[in-house]
Amino acid sequence: IMNASLVQTTEESVSQTTVVEETEEVVESEDKAEASVSLEAVARYLEDVIKAFGAEAKVSVEASSREVHFNIETDKSGLIIGKHGKIIDALQSLAQVMDHRGHHRRVAVLLNVGDYRDRRAGILESIAERTARQVLKTKQAVILDPLPAFERKQIHSHLSQIEHVKTHSEGVEPNRYLVVEYEN
């Protein structure tokens, strides 16, 4: 009589352990589904904001473990980019805040309209090279105009590869700027 009871108790323990493992897998897959729904919600939000600006747009999402890219397709890219990229940068900030509210881990959020970010990266690279030449020639510090954090990071990265040039940021957002100095 005791052996039958012991076998039954052991079988119950095994089945409970199996259920716990299955529950963890279900929770993990629900988290992944929730994250993708959240990114889709951010994309729909961006489409609604762009529509309020008077433009029609389709927003697609590409996500990796470290970055989320929202690609905007529209006929009115100039309107969405705005003067000096101010509108696309503001939309990117909104998307980043909205994405970070729904997740515990931080990822870089980037918005792109057409090839704007690629063209802008080329411009930032030429600004960095021109500034480095000036600093190396005059040995005087150069202060760049205020830039968003992700653009300052691109210039920091490019200039970190050049000997005798060092960089640091000063000021307070949104007017934080880059100082490029000569270093012996």
Side-chain angles (χ1 to χ4, degrees):
I1 297 177
M2 260 188 174
N3 289 341
S5 171
L6 184 61
V7 169
Q8 185 178 6
T9 306
T10 305
E11 286 175 0
E12 287 173 9
S13 298
V14 169
S15 66
Q16 285 176 353
T17 304
T18 306
V19 170
V20 170
E21 289 172 8
E22 288 173 359
T23 304
E24 287 173 2
E25 288 174 11
V26 169
V27 169
E28 190 175 302
S29 67
E30 285 174 1
D31 287 345
K32 287 178 184 175
E34 218 173 88
S36 66
V37 169
S38 177
L39 292 176
E40 289 301 316
V42 175
R44 298 301 78 80
Y45 172 75
L46 290 170
E47 288 175 354
D48 291 344
V49 171
I50 291 167
K51 189 173 188 173
F53 269 91
E56 290 294 323
K58 176 69 179 140
V59 179
S60 59
V61 182
E62 296 174 18
S64 70
S65 61
R66 294 174 41 180
E67 292 182 336
V68 177
H69 292 263
F70 292 95
N71 298 307
I72 302 169
E73 295 176 32
T74 183
D75 292 339
K76 297 184 178 182
S77 58
L79 177 68
I80 295 169
I81 294 169
K83 188 175 183 177
H84 303 295
K86 294 231 185 259
I87 293 176
I88 194 170
D89 290 345
L91 288 171
Q92 182 169 295
S93 295
L94 287 172
Q96 187 162 15
V97 167
M98 195 171 175
D99 181 64
H100 288 178
R101 265 189 14 203
H103 298 90
H104 295 291
R105 64 185 178 93
R106 302 283 185 221
V107 294
V109 174
L110 297 170
L111 252 66
N112 196 12
V113 175
D115 64 346
Y116 173 73
R117 291 293 181 205
D118 294 334
R119 287 180 300 157
R120 184 68 179 157
I123 291 168
L124 292 173
E125 190 173 310
S126 66
I127 289 171
E129 289 171 4
R130 186 176 61 240
T131 304
R133 282 194 304 271
Q134 183 180 351
V135 167
L136 291 171
K137 182 179 177 183
T138 65
K139 295 187 168 98
Q140 298 289 317
V142 173
I143 298 172
L144 299 178
D145 290 334
L147 296 167
F150 65 96
E151 289 186 350
R152 287 194 314 272
K153 185 177 179 180
Q154 289 175 335
I155 293 178
H156 277 300
S157 176
H158 188 73
L159 292 177
S160 69
Q161 301 169 11
I162 300 174
E163 268 187 67
H164 303 294
V165 174
K166 71 175 186 172
T167 63
H168 66 276
S169 295
E170 291 184 1
V172 178
E173 294 291 352
N175 297 314
R176 199 155 165 80
Y177 55 90
L178 216 61
V179 178
V180 184
E181 298 175 305
Y182 181 81
E183 179 181 56
N184 286 328

